[in-house]
Amino acid sequence: MHLGSAWYPEQWPESRWPRDLELMRETGFTVARITEFAWSRLEPADGVFTLDWVQRVVDLAAQHGVAIVLGTPSAAPPAWLTFAHPEVLPQHEHGHVQGHGARCHYRAGSPVYQSYSNRIAGEMARRFGRHPNVIGWQIDNEYWRMSRDPETTAQFQGWLRRRYGTLDALNAAWSGAYWSQDYFAWDQIEAPNPGANPGLMLAWQQFCSHLYVEFQHGQIQAIRAHAEARQWICHNFHPNDDFDREAIGAELDLVAWDAYIHRTPRFVPGENAHDCDRIRGLKRKNIWIMETQPGTVNWSRLNLHQPQGQMRTMAWQMVGHGADAVLYWQWRSAPGGQEQYHGSVLGQDGEPRPRQVEIARIGADFAKTSALLDGSTPRNQVAILDRWRDRWVLRHQPHHHAFNCVEHAQSYYAPLQRAGVTVDVLDRHLDLMPYRLVIAPHLHLGDDMIAFALHAFVAMGGHVVLGMRSFFKDDENRLAPERQPGPLAELLGGRVRDHYTVEASLSVAGDLGAGRVRSFAEDLETTSPETQVWLRYDPAATAEAGWLANRPAVLHRRVGSGSITYVGAWLDDALADQLIGRVLALARMEGHLRVPVGVEVCARWQGERRILIVVNHTDAAQVVPLPQPMRDHLGDRVSSDQIELAGYGVAVLTTV
Ligand code: GAL
């Protein structure tokens, strides 16, 4: 277990570095990430490398017991480079070329930029690839932007040509006959604008991901040529949905992500947990939190500070979801630069800010539990299939302003959490055999492979839940030739007749109880006598939904010892709890613990030993019943048949 932060020693006099490292140790830090934005100080002129200062930082950090992760600096090209080679600069909509003065002003597809980036990465690796205090590498920083310049566009056209072979095939895949959208030459195809053809939009997203795979590959090779195998290579993903992170993660040894409270001003525990699970799902291996906020950020519309205790519960939640390291961004506020208002551990004066005390407590926690948690990892029997590409296409055509994949996925994730059940989140990984229950909240782009995998899973006794809008389209983002759920309709013994947008909400009732659904509602029908209707829309449905009066909203069919359930609507919390309770019972699964509202239980396994991490996300004390007395490794206590957690309290439990 590592705790640490991003550190920018190049922004401060060298005489200050020892004090920084002493303070890091006092805070319980064991690692620092450096250099990911330091290109102008690593190579101040073309081909002139000044790495001695990095050597001194790494050596000094070693003396203080602080391990180093080196970032390659390609997210911040120096001015000498962009002025000598303006062709590396990205071009955004309306032809705007982004110049020097901020960061990320580069084009991932520029061969010139790639060769400069690979060269500096290689130089760094030549110097530090064997340094015992360098434990790993981070490539670039949060891949983020795409350029729409002519060279990238030509690369896109080449990629399409390799993918489709002929323009006829491309025109057929993208329904070129619609609005005369046929192409007659490859160079007529441009990057999509808002409202673009759905096939073009999807292909562009895939191409962008491919471009970053290639960009990253060059740097990985440059590092691997010199670095010892023990030094891992990672990237710190941003949690947004813009790229195919599974494709980008494939060549990395480790994936990390930057966990900021970025969608809402206040922390939503379920969303952060879900993001951690999605990132862990990329390689189905433990992750690093390469950045998180020390209390607050500066870029939100409302930059609230987290309440006291929540940095600690957030850190422990992330450990519970597979994080082996938590690093804060950043160590000390820089006097200049764009992020003066951002949270930091030290103030600009170099003295700890009040929040440092809480972070130091996390350091003490990690020191206490590191040996216990070493080598442990989450292991689950429930998987959520939530793919990047479904999110792209649903964002492109949400059909309802309030339809949002993050929240919709939460409507399945949250009831599992409330039931004390932990999950894996998968993208294209289709080995479903370790699981007993697979839930796909919005598997919008169906294809034969996924249909086959789900079919086989049910035939082997697995339980599948498909949410609304599943199998609506094919993998070219065209309407699927059959009504939903297409290739699984026969297995379900039912199908979708039609779909409706719901302005506010609709009432539904049936075996799962009574409640309301929102945003989008599908009218289902059964085609087999074995298929049960678990919920129906209200017979007295309002005018807007008259089409739905008394129609089925949720179908369920037992298939041998397995089952398939199709949910045609966005259920409210109580109904979602009922649905999840039912399918968990069918899959003969129980939560790790019965937790009160606001308390989360996570589990990591070390062989057959289960370590429970129980996190109280509320400011009030909570009592959690336990199946037997357990040892709390944080509180140094052995519990009775229950454990009391203070407001924002955490317990790390094993059986006695
Ligand atoms: C991240 C970025 C960091 C820093 C941080 C501030 O997205 O990787 O360099 O800018 O945001 O919240």
Side-chain angles (χ1 to χ4, degrees):
M1 300 293 302
H2 276 295
L3 188 73
S5 73
W7 181 33
Y8 303 99
E10 69 276 19
Q11 295 171 5
W12 302 98
E14 190 164 341
S15 55
R16 165 70 200 194
W17 298 348
R19 179 69 187 136
D20 279 322
L21 286 159
E22 276 164 24
L23 284 169
M24 284 187 200
R25 287 306 299 176
E26 282 172 26
T27 314
F29 281 10
T30 53
V31 68
R33 183 197 63 187
I34 63 171
T35 61
E36 82 281 8
F37 292 115
W39 200 339
S40 65
R41 303 296 168 105
L42 300 170
E43 188 183 1
D46 194 344
V48 177
F49 299 100
T50 47
L51 303 181
D52 291 350
W53 68 268
V54 183
Q55 178 89 43
R56 295 196 295 277
V57 174
V58 177
D59 290 344
L60 194 65
Q63 287 167 26
H64 287 81
V66 174
I68 293 291
V69 176
L70 287 175
T72 69
S74 51
W80 60 257
L81 196 168
T82 54
F83 275 75
H85 297 283
E87 72 275 20
V88 308
L89 295 171
Q91 183 176 316
H92 303 307
E93 274 174 64
H94 312 300
H96 167 71
V97 174
Q98 185 190 342
H100 196 79
R103 61 177 167 177
C104 303
H105 46 298
Y106 72 90
R107 296 196 290 111
S110 158
V112 172
Y113 195 64
Q114 288 179 3
S115 83
Y116 274 102
S117 304
N118 297 345
R119 187 175 73 177
I120 182 71
E123 283 301 320
M124 291 173 76
R126 192 195 306 277
R127 184 79 180 253
F128 302 108
R130 293 173 180 281
H131 198 295
N133 198 37
V134 173
I135 56 172
W137 297 80
Q138 172 187 299
I139 309 280
D140 202 89
N141 188 78
E142 293 185 346
Y143 304 137
W144 178 255
R145 287 181 182 258
M146 274 308 296
S147 171
R148 309 162 62 90
D149 62 282
E151 191 174 27
T152 303
T153 306
Q155 289 167 337
F156 179 42
Q157 292 155 358
W159 182 84
L160 291 169
R161 186 178 242 171
R162 290 193 293 283
R163 173 168 168 169
Y164 291 103
T166 64
L167 281 167
D168 283 349
L170 177 141
N171 287 330
W174 296 1
S175 309
Y178 188 82
W179 288 355
S180 283
Q181 291 183 51
D182 285 314
Y183 293 98
F184 303 94
W186 294 99
D187 61 8
Q188 292 165 353
I189 307 171
E190 295 180 322
N193 291 313
N197 177 301
L200 168 64
M201 187 284 300
L202 177 59
W204 172 254
Q205 291 297 131
Q206 289 165 328
F207 162 73
C208 297
S209 309
H210 155 84
L211 212 55
Y212 273 106
V213 169
E214 292 215 318
F215 173 73
Q216 176 179 267
H217 176 70
Q219 293 197 37
I220 291 179
Q221 278 195 313
I223 293 172
R224 276 285 160 246
H226 306 288
E228 289 173 351
R230 69 171 171 84
Q231 292 185 344
W232 42 256
I233 302 180
C234 82
H235 173 71
N236 60 329
F237 286 113
H238 188 277
N240 69 17
D241 295 328
D242 284 345
F243 302 118
D244 179 343
R245 278 148 176 65
E246 186 155 326
I248 298 171
E251 203 184 345
L252 298 169
D253 304 307
L254 167 77
V255 293
W257 78 287
D258 295 348
Y260 290 97
I261 303 174
H262 62 114
R263 297 189 187 99
T264 46
R266 292 185 197 282
F267 183 57
V268 180
E271 284 191 8
N272 193 56
H274 194 176
D275 280 333
C276 287
D277 289 346
R278 288 196 90 194
I279 298 291
R280 196 184 71 248
L282 300 181
K283 295 188 89 70
R284 293 164 299 286
K285 270 170 53 177
N286 282 6
I287 56 175
W288 272 43
I289 307 300
M290 197 57 92
E291 297 179 12
T292 190
Q293 56 191 62
T296 181
V297 295
N298 66 317
W299 38 257
S300 197
R301 270 157 36 95
L302 177 64
N303 297 292
L304 297 178
H305 201 294
Q306 290 175 269
Q308 265 181 31
Q310 198 180 69
M311 280 188 295
R312 180 166 175 260
T313 49
M314 187 172 165
W316 271 108
Q317 178 193 53
M318 299 193 286
V319 172
H321 288 267
D324 283 342
V326 175
L327 282 77
Y328 288 91
W329 194 95
Q330 59 173 328
W331 173 240
R332 178 175 178 181
S333 302
Q338 277 88 330
E339 299 177 288
Q340 292 156 317
Y341 273 94
H342 201 282
S344 54
V345 186
L346 306 188
Q348 64 275 27
D349 60 355
E351 292 302 317
R353 296 173 81 168
R355 65 199 66 162
Q356 182 266 357
V357 175
E358 187 173 326
I359 298 174
R361 184 163 178 213
I362 304 169
D365 289 349
F366 282 12
K368 227 178 200 177
T369 50
S370 208
L372 172 75
L373 290 165
D374 189 34
S376 66
T377 188
R379 195 165 78 202
N380 295 303
Q381 294 183 313
V382 178
I384 291 191
L385 268 179
D386 188 359
R387 305 171 311 169
W388 307 103
R389 66 198 122 136
D390 295 317
R391 291 191 168 202
W392 302 331
V393 298
L394 284 163
R395 190 173 54 197
H396 188 66
Q397 293 176 322
H399 209 59
H400 189 307
H401 63 86
F403 183 85
N404 153 338
C405 286
V406 175
E407 285 177 29
H408 185 239
Q410 269 305 110
S411 74
Y412 290 88
Y413 189 89
L416 287 160
Q417 277 203 315
R418 289 193 286 269
V421 173
T422 50
V423 306
D424 288 345
V425 180
L426 306 178
D427 187 287
R428 75 182 66 164
H429 174 78
L430 290 180
D431 174 12
L432 303 180
M433 289 314 149
Y435 303 104
R436 286 152 82 169
L437 172 61
V438 172
I439 300 176
H442 34 238
L443 207 159
H444 202 51
L445 303 181
D447 62 55
D448 290 345
M449 283 251 296
I450 189 107
F452 179 81
L454 292 173
H455 207 290
F457 177 68
V458 172
M460 300 276 291
H463 299 268
V464 164
V465 177
L466 292 176
M468 64 187 190
R469 307 180 82 159
S470 289
F471 286 90
F472 193 77
K473 299 201 190 178
D474 69 9
D475 54 5
E476 291 287 357
N477 206 7
R478 286 178 293 209
L479 290 179
E482 309 153 304
R483 297 286 175 85
Q484 302 155 256
L488 292 178
E490 202 179 319
L491 186 71
L492 175 67
R495 59 176 206 153
V496 177
R497 287 210 315 173
D498 216 334
H499 60 86
Y500 299 86
T501 300
V502 178
E503 191 178 354
S505 66
L506 283 178
S507 49
V508 288
D511 283 7
L512 299 181
R516 299 194 76 78
V517 299
R518 65 178 163 118
S519 100
F520 197 85
E522 292 171 331
D523 164 13
L524 311 183
E525 68 181 348
T526 56
T527 54
S528 159
E530 289 171 19
T531 304
Q532 301 166 13
V533 177
W534 274 4
L535 275 183
R536 284 181 186 278
Y537 300 102
D538 191 339
T542 57
E544 141 224 34
W547 299 103
L548 287 166
N550 211 28
R551 299 294 312 163
V554 176
L555 300 182
H556 171 80
R557 187 184 190 186
R558 295 298 301 262
V559 182
S561 53
S563 73
I564 176 167
T565 305
Y566 188 96
V567 183
W570 184 329
L571 307 184
D572 67 24
D573 288 354
L575 287 171
D577 283 337
Q578 286 298 321
L579 174 92
I580 293 300
R582 282 263 182 127
V583 290
L584 285 173
L586 284 171
R588 293 204 204 85
M589 291 194 55
E590 280 180 1
H592 297 291
L593 294 176
R594 282 156 42 96
V595 282
V597 177
V599 174
E600 179 182 357
V601 55
C602 319
R604 291 175 58 137
W605 296 78
Q606 210 169 38
E608 288 317 301
R609 185 182 202 199
R610 186 173 62 165
I611 304 159
L612 295 179
I613 295 167
V614 190
V615 181
N616 179 5
H617 292 295
T618 73
D619 58 5
Q622 303 268 6
V623 174
V624 181
L626 302 176
Q628 73 253 61
M630 298 184 94
R631 175 176 304 283
D632 174 13
H633 296 262
L634 283 182
D636 295 320
R637 55 183 168 166
V638 174
S639 71
S640 60
D641 57 356
Q642 62 177 44
I643 188 160
E644 179 160 346
L645 295 173
Y648 296 112
V650 180
V652 176
L653 304 173
T654 54
T655 47
V656 183

